[in-house]
Amino acid sequence: MPDTVPMAKRRALRRKQGSRFDTPLGRAVLQSLAVLVFFALWEFGVRLGWISAFLVGAPSGIFAYAAKIIASGELISDTWYTFFEAILGFIIGTIFGSLLGLALWYSVFVARLVEPFIVAINSVPKIALAPIVVLWFGTGLISKVALSVSLTAIVALIAAYQAAKDADPDLQSLLVSMGADKHQVFFKAVVPSTLPSMIATFRINIGFGLVGAVVGEFISSQHGLGHMIYTASSLYDLNTVWVGLFTLMIMGFVLYYVIEIIERTILPWKQASTVQQVQV
Amino acid sequence: MQITPAQLSVRNVRKSFAGKAGDVCVLDDLSFDIKERDFVSIIGPSGCGKTTIFNIIAGLLEPDSGSLQFRGEEVESLRGRVGYMMQKDLLFPWRTVLGNVLLGLETRGVDRAEAEDKAREYLKDFGLAGFENAYPKTLSGGMRQRVALIRTLIMDPDILLLDEPFSALDYQTRLYLEGVLKDAVETYHKTVILVTHDIDEAVALSKRVVVLSGRPARVKIVHDIEIDAPSPIAARSDNRFSGYFHALCAELDIQTEKTS
Ligand SMILES: Nc1ncnc2c1ncn2[C@@H]1O[C@H](COP(=O)(O)OP(=O)(O)O)[C@@H](O)[C@H]1O
Ligand SMILES: [Mg+2]
């Protein structure tokens, strides 16, 4: 085989492309380094007067303030408050929406009937409902949860309905030929085949749950990260704003990985294929 | 000729589908009989309506007219009584091998422990012991189709409907599975209707071959295959094999000349 590069050499070449940092630890080091450099440049920029600390804040101030409100317990309680609203909204909205979307599989007639209404509701920017939601549900916890539900339910509904419609008709036919009734087809073929896209919806909806909670807090609240960010920015207290934002970021980040763990537990049959990537 | 009563009679079945340019008649007055423990292959040009017949027998489609008789009794369909196996193995990707084999018994509400014992026994008989907890995507095409065959057999169906079950497999695997099928059919005393585009396979496996004409499908001729070989591979070296093979080729060739 004169035209082929020897196998060992090719393997070595491939390894070089990925570099020796291409391990979990190596990547973590590079990622942490990038974050450190980012904050260092920011801090130096502020110290040297290139960046206005008044308009964008400074890492030293952000960390000092974070340490202070962590010690006082304020950050934990605000974080918990927002987290609770977002998760509650996410769970209620996603379950409610998914069940409704799946149920539409049972009747093509009903599904066709309500489709334009779903499209109409989906096209309303739900954030625009926030003031009314506060009017209806007050300034407490319930209005934020309601806002999160309004954002997540419709996404879950559309995704679940679409996934149920897309369930492989041949698998359903096979069950029918075995004598399965409609419920069995639903639970044995339709529901399991919608799970992957349901989980994908969880990912999107975690974000929407947080949006609902934070926007609700912007409008009126005495607690939560949204409230913290809103009041601080009206006082030009940028460091506090950043503490709130970074906490939200960390929360979203953690939730993303929690969903990944859920995915791995619910969809063990999906795992085998996700690792392979085409070598070019 | 001895007269054996038919297990399944397809009588004057008609079926059209709505197409862009009006209705397309796929089955026009189709009739044939399947005897007890028969092994009948159906061959015919592709698109002539073979899958449609199966869908009607399995109760997935309703005929426009005509009837089905099962052991002399008029029935709507054989839904729940047939083992339908398609070209795609149609294993449920989220179920393990064991879970897939159990599908039909679950549907029937058979006791779980009892069903599982039976499933393990079948898996062992078909050389799949040790793969109970594997997911379908980790199996080879031949293994997957074997799992599909077990899933079909374990329900003890009255009739097996096999729609080009081996056509997606390579030749060696196909030969091997033909043997597995033939043995299983003899062990479990099953009636089989096999749709295939492979004349060679039809002759090697069947007792009778039904040749269908092009759309709309009608029975053109039925050939009795009188090869009594112990295996499909042995059947291929029977001295009558090539005679049947060429006769069936001729039937289909005339067909293709007519339609094209
Ligand atoms: N559900 C359907 N709707 C419309 N046309 C169909 C449908 N099913 C099959 N047909 C048409 O009927 C003809 C016969 O199909 P089929 O039974 O699958 O053929 P075969 O299995 O012999 O290849 C084809 O021309 C196909 O396009
Ligand atoms: Mg077909």
Side-chain angles (χ1 to χ4, degrees):
Chain A
M1 290 174 280
D3 58 330
T4 56
V5 185
M7 207 57 200
K9 204 165 172 190
R10 254 198 290 172
R11 262 190 225 122
L13 264 172
R14 203 181 298 152
R15 211 173 302 132
K16 214 180 210 169
Q17 285 169 4
S19 93
R20 62 205 155 84
F21 283 108
D22 201 1
T23 63
L25 182 69
R27 284 194 296 270
V29 168
L30 286 179
Q31 286 158 345
S32 315
L33 217 61
V35 174
L36 276 178
V37 168
F38 172 76
F39 281 117
L41 286 176
W42 183 356
E43 184 68 33
F44 274 113
V46 171
R47 297 266 162 109
L48 296 174
W50 296 338
I51 299 171
S52 156
F54 178 68
L55 283 178
V56 293
S60 55
I62 296 169
F63 290 123
Y65 184 69
K68 195 184 119 199
I69 59 173
I70 287 171
S72 72
E74 215 177 312
L75 184 62
I76 307 294
S77 89
D78 276 333
T79 304
W80 175 245
Y81 198 81
T82 302
F83 173 80
F84 189 68
E85 292 163 349
I87 285 294
L88 209 59
F90 163 78
I91 292 175
I92 296 173
T94 305
I95 290 181
F96 183 69
S98 302
L99 289 181
L100 226 63
L102 285 175
L104 286 179
W105 175 85
Y106 267 93
S107 169
V108 177
F109 171 68
V110 175
R112 287 201 183 133
L113 210 61
V114 301
E115 203 170 284
F117 297 103
I118 294 172
V119 173
I121 293 170
N122 187 40
S123 53
V124 175
K126 257 73 64 188
I127 294 301
L129 292 176
I132 314 175
V133 168
V134 173
L135 265 181
W136 286 346
F137 296 102
T139 57
L141 183 94
I142 298 176
S143 60
K144 284 82 189 175
V145 174
L147 202 54
S148 285
V149 169
S150 76
L151 282 163
T152 51
I154 196 80
V155 174
L157 191 157
I158 291 173
Y161 173 53
Q162 190 60 44
K165 268 205 304 197
D166 290 344
D168 188 346
D170 286 340
L171 295 184
Q172 298 175 49
S173 294
L174 184 85
L175 278 169
V176 172
S177 80
M178 286 175 164
D181 59 27
K182 198 158 186 177
H183 300 297
Q184 286 175 321
V185 172
F186 181 68
F187 285 110
K188 288 187 195 301
V190 177
V191 172
S193 64
T194 60
L195 285 180
S197 72
M198 294 269 212
I199 303 243
T201 314
F202 288 2
R203 286 220 174 89
I204 300 169
N205 267 349
I206 278 287
F208 279 143
L210 279 169
V211 169
V214 169
V215 170
E217 288 170 0
F218 279 0
I219 293 194
S220 77
S221 180
Q222 308 305 318
H223 314 274
L225 295 170
H227 168 250
M228 177 173 145
I229 291 168
Y230 192 75
T231 40
S233 61
S234 61
L235 298 171
Y236 286 90
D237 179 1
L238 267 295
N239 289 341
T240 308
V241 171
W242 282 118
V243 172
L245 281 174
F246 284 130
T247 312
L248 280 173
M249 190 191 280
I250 292 167
M251 201 192 297
F253 191 81
V254 170
L255 287 173
Y256 182 92
Y257 284 100
V258 168
I259 288 182
E260 194 134 298
I261 293 168
I262 294 174
E263 178 170 20
R264 249 176 249 165
T265 347
I266 299 184
L267 309 174
W269 54 279
K270 274 267 170 194
Q271 296 319 307
S273 72
T274 50
V275 195
Q276 278 298 325
Q277 200 192 347
V278 179
Q279 290 281 354
V280 187
Chain B
M1 266 202 63
Q2 96 207 68
I3 310 283
T4 32
Q7 182 179 19
L8 172 68
S9 301
V10 174
R11 286 275 160 271
N12 313 101
V13 167
R14 280 172 209 273
K15 179 76 191 170
S16 323
F17 289 111
K20 269 176 239 142
D23 286 3
V24 182
C25 185
V26 176
L27 304 178
D28 184 20
D29 205 30
L30 184 77
S31 300
F32 60 86
D33 284 347
I34 305 292
K35 293 178 243 172
E36 301 277 348
R37 293 194 200 170
D38 219 346
F39 198 127
V40 179
S41 286
I42 298 180
I43 58 176
S46 99
C48 78
K50 303 179 295 287
T51 300
T52 305
I53 302 168
F54 274 9
N55 286 339
I56 288 172
I57 296 174
L60 302 176
L61 277 179
E62 274 187 38
D64 299 336
S65 67
S67 65
L68 298 176
Q69 286 169 12
F70 186 73
R71 293 187 176 134
E73 254 175 76
E74 189 110 341
V75 290
E76 208 146 281
S77 76
L78 297 187
R79 192 189 281 192
R81 284 197 273 182
V82 286
Y84 194 172
M85 208 174 138
M86 308 182 203
Q87 177 179 355
K88 287 194 281 171
D89 51 61
L90 292 183
L91 297 181
F92 286 43
W94 53 85
R95 283 176 171 250
T96 60
V97 166
L98 186 68
N100 269 288
V101 171
L102 286 172
L103 195 66
L105 298 177
E106 266 176 33
T107 307
R108 253 184 216 167
V110 176
D111 172 69
R112 177 84 195 181
E114 189 186 316
E116 230 174 81
D117 286 347
K118 198 169 167 191
R120 285 180 198 283
E121 207 167 295
Y122 269 76
L123 285 167
K124 206 172 91 208
D125 290 346
F126 284 81
L128 286 168
F131 289 96
E132 289 86 352
N133 298 319
Y135 285 102
K137 77 152 52 126
T138 63
L139 305 182
S140 69
M143 285 163 93
R144 294 166 59 108
Q145 208 51 296
R146 245 187 299 164
V147 175
L149 181 62
I150 299 173
R151 177 177 66 187
T152 311
L153 287 170
I154 201 171
M155 295 189 65
D156 196 23
D158 291 314
I159 296 183
L160 297 178
L161 303 177
L162 310 179
D163 193 357
E164 308 195 10
F166 307 139
S167 58
L169 304 172
D170 60 85
Y171 192 64
Q172 282 179 41
T173 312
R174 198 184 321 166
L175 279 182
Y176 167 68
L177 282 179
E178 282 176 13
V180 172
L181 171 67
K182 182 121 188 167
D183 289 346
V185 166
E186 268 153 32
T187 314
Y188 299 106
H189 310 296
K190 291 292 157 217
T191 305
V192 180
I193 313 178
L194 170 74
V195 163
T196 178
H197 58 242
D198 188 341
I199 299 170
D200 172 275
E201 182 170 280
V203 177
L205 281 167
S206 348
K207 292 181 188 159
R208 294 190 298 142
V209 177
V210 174
V211 183
L212 296 182
S213 65
R215 221 170 49 212
R218 283 172 202 236
V219 175
K220 199 168 175 219
I221 194 166
V222 180
H223 272 275
D224 286 309
I225 308 289
E226 276 148 12
I227 297 176
D228 194 22
S231 76
I233 294 180
R236 285 174 165 88
S237 51
D238 190 283
N239 54 15
R240 283 163 296 186
F241 184 87
S242 88
Y244 289 128
F245 183 83
H246 286 108
L248 289 171
C249 279
E251 297 290 352
L252 287 175
D253 278 341
I254 294 164
Q255 199 44 59
T256 44
E257 272 169 28
K258 244 193 214 162
T259 47
S260 58

